[in-house]
Amino acid sequence: MAVAGLALVGVFLGLGTWQVERRVWKLDLIDRVEARIHADPVPAPGPEEWAGLTGPSAEYRRVRVTGRFAYDRATLVQAVTERGGGFWVLVPLATERGFTVLINRGFVPTEARDRSARTPGEPEGEVTVTGLLRLSEPGGGFLRRNDPAADRWYSRDVAAIAAARTLSDVAPYFVDADATPNPGGLPVGGLTVVAFHNNHLVYALTWYALALMTAGALVYALRRPRPMP
C-alpha cells in the first residue's frame, strides 16, 4: 500500500508540474501571437516557405499579398460569428508571384449568400490584401464533414477546396482579410477570433491537490493503530 500510494503521489506531482510547464509555454505563445498580429505586414509566404508552415509558429502572421480575384470560384463556408450565422467567403487570389492563395474576404449573412448580393464588393483588377495567415482546417466542423460533391463546407479546408475548384499551385494556408471595408459593405472582414484556452493553472492545482490528499490518506493509513492479534 505504501509503495502504491507513493507512486500515485509521484504521478500526481509530475502531472501538476507538467501543467505548470504547459502554462508557461501557453503564456509565451499568447505573447508571441499578440506581437505577431500587430506587427507590420510581411509578404505572404511563397512556395519555398510552405514546407515550414506548421504549428503555432505560422498561425496569425500578419501578411499582405497582391493579385487578382477569381470571384467565379468562390466558396462559402458556414460560419457563426458575433454578427450571427452565415458564411465565410473564400475567394482564390492569383498572385503576381505565380501561385494562388485562398482569401477569406469576410462574413456574409445567410440572406446574402447569393453572389449578386456581394457583387458591389468585388473590385476588379489587381488588388492588395492585408490579413492574418491561417492554417488549413481539414475535414470539416464539429460532427459535420465537408461535402465537396454537394458544395457544403463546414471548415476552411484549403486542399479540398482547391481540388473542388480545380485550382493549382495553391498555398497550404488561407488569409483572413482585415477590417478594410469592401464596397457595398459585404463581405465583412476583420472578424478573426484570436483566443487560446489557458486552463493549465487550474489543472496544475487539481493535480497538486490530488497529490496532497493522497499523501495525507497514506500517512493516515500507515499511522492508524492496528488491532492486536
Side-chain angles (χ1 to χ4, degrees):
M1 184 177 66
V3 171
L6 289 173
L8 278 176
V9 171
V11 169
F12 292 150
L13 288 174
L15 289 170
T17 300
W18 176 62
Q19 287 296 335
V20 169
E21 293 170 350
R22 290 282 296 172
R23 181 174 183 271
V24 172
W25 171 83
K26 184 64 68 66
L27 291 174
D28 178 65
L29 172 63
I30 292 172
D31 289 341
R32 285 187 284 116
V33 168
E34 280 293 319
R36 203 178 298 159
I37 64 178
H38 297 297
D40 292 334
V42 298
E48 69 282 356
E49 301 177 74
W50 291 350
L53 295 177
T54 57
S57 62
E59 193 89 271
Y60 302 112
R61 187 184 304 180
R62 192 159 178 250
V63 299
R64 66 173 177 272
V65 60
T66 300
R68 294 175 181 270
F69 281 119
Y71 299 110
D72 59 328
R73 297 189 179 186
T75 299
L76 299 182
V77 180
Q78 283 202 347
V80 177
T81 72
E82 61 189 39
R83 291 172 171 258
F87 299 90
W88 299 121
V89 181
L90 268 68
V91 184
L93 182 79
T95 73
E96 59 183 0
R97 294 155 61 191
F99 60 91
T100 298
V101 178
L102 288 182
I103 304 295
N104 176 15
R105 300 194 64 226
F107 172 81
V108 295
T110 302
E111 58 269 21
R113 67 177 299 168
D114 189 84
R115 184 183 172 186
S116 61
R118 308 190 305 272
T119 301
E122 296 182 348
E124 298 295 333
E126 192 171 81
V127 297
T128 297
V129 176
T130 300
L132 300 180
L133 185 151
R134 304 293 309 280
L135 298 180
S136 181
E137 301 168 345
F142 180 65
L143 297 179
R144 286 178 157 183
R145 302 288 296 177
N146 290 328
D147 186 356
D151 203 26
R152 293 193 184 97
W153 302 92
Y154 304 102
S155 74
R156 293 163 289 192
D157 186 335
V158 171
I161 292 173
R165 299 294 183 259
T166 62
L167 303 172
S168 59
D169 299 319
V170 180
Y173 58 85
F174 62 94
V175 174
D176 276 346
D178 65 14
T180 301
N182 288 305
L186 294 176
V188 180
L191 297 180
T192 306
V193 176
V194 182
F196 297 92
H197 296 292
N198 185 16
N199 297 319
H200 299 296
L201 180 59
V202 174
Y203 297 151
L205 292 175
T206 299
W207 290 121
Y208 286 143
L210 287 172
L212 182 62
M213 288 188 293
T214 302
L218 180 62
V219 170
Y220 174 79
L222 293 177
R223 296 184 63 182
R224 185 180 180 181
R226 296 292 188 272
M228 296 296 293

